[in-house]
Amino acid sequence: WRRPHPGRGANFYNPTYGHLWATGHLGDNTIALIATDPGPNQWKVVKKLELPGVGGGTLFIKTHPKSRHLWVDRTLNNDPELQRTIYVFDTETLELVKELKIPESIPNARAVHLEFNQNGDEVWVSAWGRKDDPSTNAPLIYDDRTLELKQIIQGAG
């Protein structure tokens, strides 16, 4: 069961394939990389990035013109550990660089709604938990260069 996610996906340049559009699929564990430059591969899937686990899909895929990273969530997966994980790929090599987990101090939360700041050097991630339990919700700020957690904004949920 595969359905393209209606979100905007992410656009970036790759030295091998040219300009790419990355999009996930609801119920599937792959990211399709679709060539957008004019030519024989335009609008064709030129590569698929496989995410751990089975099914589930992704809601948010993000990058920034100043970033070398493609950030992907697994919010829709049934596995609670995958829901808490963000996958970061290198936009040049298309290899998985790092798996980032929501800190254990924020229980029962999913990683969702990835957004870069305007400068492209930080990624804000929502730790999204229960509406009636503020301890399960917090914005997380990651450094896009080091891929390290810079700040947890507690009490913002």
Side-chain angles (χ1 to χ4, degrees), residues 58-98:
T58 181
L59 279 179
F60 290 90
I61 301 173
K62 296 292 175 154
T63 192
H64 188 279
K66 294 180 181 176
S67 174
R68 245 189 94 159
H69 297 122
L70 180 70
W71 293 64
V72 180
D73 71 15
R74 291 304 304 274
T75 307
L76 299 176
N77 197 282
N78 289 331
D79 182 334
E81 282 305 305
L82 295 178
Q83 293 170 356
R84 298 177 62 79
T85 307
I86 304 149
Y87 299 88
V88 183
F89 290 87
D90 184 301
T91 58
E92 289 186 17
T93 66
L94 303 177
E95 297 294 324
L96 181 65
V97 176
K98 193 165 187 180

Side-chain angles (χ1 to χ4, degrees), residues 25-41:
H25 299 79
L26 300 179
D28 185 60
N29 67 328
T30 62
I31 303 299
L33 301 180
I34 300 167
T36 60
D37 288 335
N41 288 327

Side-chain angles (χ1 to χ4, degrees), residues 21-148:
W21 172 45
T23 187
H25 299 79
L26 300 179
D28 185 60
N29 67 328
T30 62
I31 303 299
L33 301 180
I34 300 167
T36 60
D37 288 335
N41 288 327
Q42 188 175 29
W43 304 121
K44 292 182 182 170
V45 175
V46 293
K47 184 159 179 74
K48 285 188 178 185
L49 305 178
E50 190 164 333
L51 298 166
V54 177
T58 181
L59 279 179
F60 290 90
I61 301 173
K62 296 292 175 154
T63 192
H64 188 279
K66 294 180 181 176
S67 174
R68 245 189 94 159
H69 297 122
L70 180 70
W71 293 64
V72 180
D73 71 15
R74 291 304 304 274
T75 307
L76 299 176
N77 197 282
N78 289 331
D79 182 334
E81 282 305 305
L82 295 178
Q83 293 170 356
R84 298 177 62 79
T85 307
I86 304 149
Y87 299 88
V88 183
F89 290 87
D90 184 301
T91 58
E92 289 186 17
T93 66
L94 303 177
E95 297 294 324
L96 181 65
V97 176
K98 193 165 187 180
E99 295 181 13
L100 304 169
K101 299 258 186 207
I102 292 178
E104 294 298 324
S105 62
I106 306 170
N108 306 312
R110 299 172 188 228
V112 69
H113 203 205
L114 320 170
E115 289 291 345
F116 274 85
N117 66 352
Q118 186 173 1
N119 292 332
D121 58 359
E122 291 179 346
V123 178
W124 289 51
V125 176
S126 293
W128 184 42
R130 292 175 41 163
K131 157 171 96 167
D132 62 343
D133 184 355
S135 72
T136 66
N137 297 282
L140 310 174
I141 303 172
Y142 288 91
D143 184 304
D144 181 60
R145 188 181 55 75
T146 66
L147 304 179
E148 296 298 322

